[in-house]
Amino acid sequence: MNSTHRTALTFVTLSTLLCAAAQAELRTWTDSRGNKIEAELLENMNGEVTLLREDGREAHISISNLSANDQKYGLVNRPPKIDIQVSEVTSRKNKGFTFEAEDSDYDRDVQVQTSSSSYKVTLKRSGTIPYDKPIQAELYVFGYKKQEDAFVLLSKTLKKFSFGDEDTKDKFVFTSNAVTTQNLQGNRKAGTTYHGNMVVLVDNKGRVFKTKGSRARMQEFTALIRKMKSGQVVSKAELVSAQNMIQ
């Protein structure tokens, strides 16, 4: 939608959120044209608020097109800007094996590489507006299973913190559990290799307000990824299907 048209309230039907709307913290919102609705603040990202009405419909409005009071409310209730950095520490060991090949009169030697990695996430806040509400940080680490042509969730780490705490005023750091992968060396379609990671930040209302993936387009699958459990495998076909449902 063109930015010049964002002064109007636009609505999308979301029947699945009717129950959530019944328990919402409703308030009156006003846009620059004087249009008013009763709605809950659902999301506040990238200069736009998403509001959830009582009837389960969403309204998307640019913050700059809200009334002065609503802009202030959105500012106070918006999580701070947070810089996300992920660093990796990896150790690798190679071990050789010899096996008798079925299609040859000679034995074959192979190398199995075992990698053990941990991932440190550093979250730094910026700005001076106080924000002491709880935040949940989520780290997802993915591997690629060559033989299955699929992705596996190697590690899922969830941490809750608040920038209002004495030891986390401006920075919060956490580390994943050790992630181990094994891969046959050479052009063999076997083993699991590291594929990438993604960090998701969620506010105290359960709203995602920032994501950062180590690979392009990872954020498009945030909803699917957050539902996965450690060790769960998802094929490329399933990812395509999930993307088509969103579009």
Side-chain angles (χ1 to χ4, degrees):
M1 180 181 290
N2 195 299
S3 59
T4 58
H5 296 133
R6 289 200 180 275
T7 54
L9 299 177
T10 59
F11 302 104
V12 180
T13 300
L14 290 175
S15 58
T16 56
L17 294 177
L18 284 171
C19 294
Q23 302 176 353
E25 297 179 8
L26 299 176
R27 67 184 301 275
T28 301
W29 296 80
T30 307
D31 70 4
S32 59
R33 291 184 177 180
N35 297 311
K36 298 178 182 292
I37 60 170
E38 293 289 322
E40 175 201 14
L41 177 62
L42 189 65
E43 190 173 87
N44 189 341
M45 291 180 63
N46 304 319
E48 181 180 274
V49 293
T50 300
L51 308 178
L52 180 64
R53 294 174 22 141
E54 287 182 287
D55 60 6
R57 292 187 293 168
E58 277 189 354
H60 304 276
I61 317 172
S62 293
I63 294 177
S64 60
N65 290 327
L66 291 171
S67 66
N69 285 338
D70 288 342
Q71 288 189 36
K72 182 179 179 180
Y73 180 88
L75 183 64
V76 171
N77 287 276
R78 180 180 64 190
K81 292 184 178 179
I82 300 176
D83 177 64
I84 303 174
Q85 297 295 332
V86 181
S87 58
E88 174 189 354
V89 177
T90 300
S91 61
R92 296 182 175 88
K93 293 181 180 179
N94 290 335
K95 188 173 183 178
F97 294 90
T98 301
F99 69 97
E100 184 177 344
E102 295 180 358
D103 58 350
S104 173
D105 294 332
Y106 301 94
D107 293 341
R108 289 184 179 177
D109 295 327
V110 297
Q111 289 283 329
V112 176
Q113 184 180 79
T114 300
S115 301
S116 180
S117 306
S118 61
Y119 299 84
K120 184 174 76 171
V121 178
T122 302
L123 307 174
K124 291 183 179 179
R125 65 163 292 174
S126 60
T128 58
I129 299 176
Y131 189 86
D132 58 2
K133 298 175 183 177
I135 295 174
Q136 178 162 290
E138 304 173 355
L139 171 64
Y140 301 86
V141 180
F142 280 90
Y144 175 63
K145 298 176 77 70
K146 297 180 181 180
Q147 211 162 7
E148 300 177 31
D149 193 22
F151 303 100
V152 57
L153 182 57
L154 298 172
S155 175
K156 179 177 182 177
T157 306
L158 309 180
K159 296 289 184 179
K160 286 188 176 181
F161 70 99
S162 172
F163 283 121
D165 296 338
E166 185 64 29
D167 56 346
T168 56
K169 284 187 175 180
D170 298 304
K171 184 172 71 172
F172 178 69
V173 180
F174 69 96
T175 305
S176 72
N177 296 324
V179 177
T180 301
T181 59
Q182 287 188 323
N183 178 41
L184 287 179
Q185 297 299 287
N187 297 321
R188 301 179 184 275
K189 291 186 177 181
T192 301
T193 59
Y194 167 74
H195 181 72
N197 65 75
M198 187 173 77
V199 176
V200 178
L201 300 182
V202 185
D203 70 9
N204 64 311
K205 299 292 184 180
R207 301 173 293 217
V208 174
F209 66 89
K210 185 164 186 178
T211 61
K212 182 178 181 180
S214 62
R215 285 179 174 265
R217 300 189 63 186
M218 259 189 165
Q219 292 93 323
E220 296 179 21
F221 304 99
T222 300
L224 174 64
I225 289 173
R226 295 190 69 214
K227 294 178 181 178
M228 294 181 66
K229 298 179 180 180
S230 293
Q232 186 173 341
V233 177
V234 58
S235 67
K236 288 184 177 180
E238 288 173 318
L239 289 178
V240 172
S241 177
Q243 182 64 16
N244 290 338
M245 291 179 64
I246 296 174
Q247 295 175 343

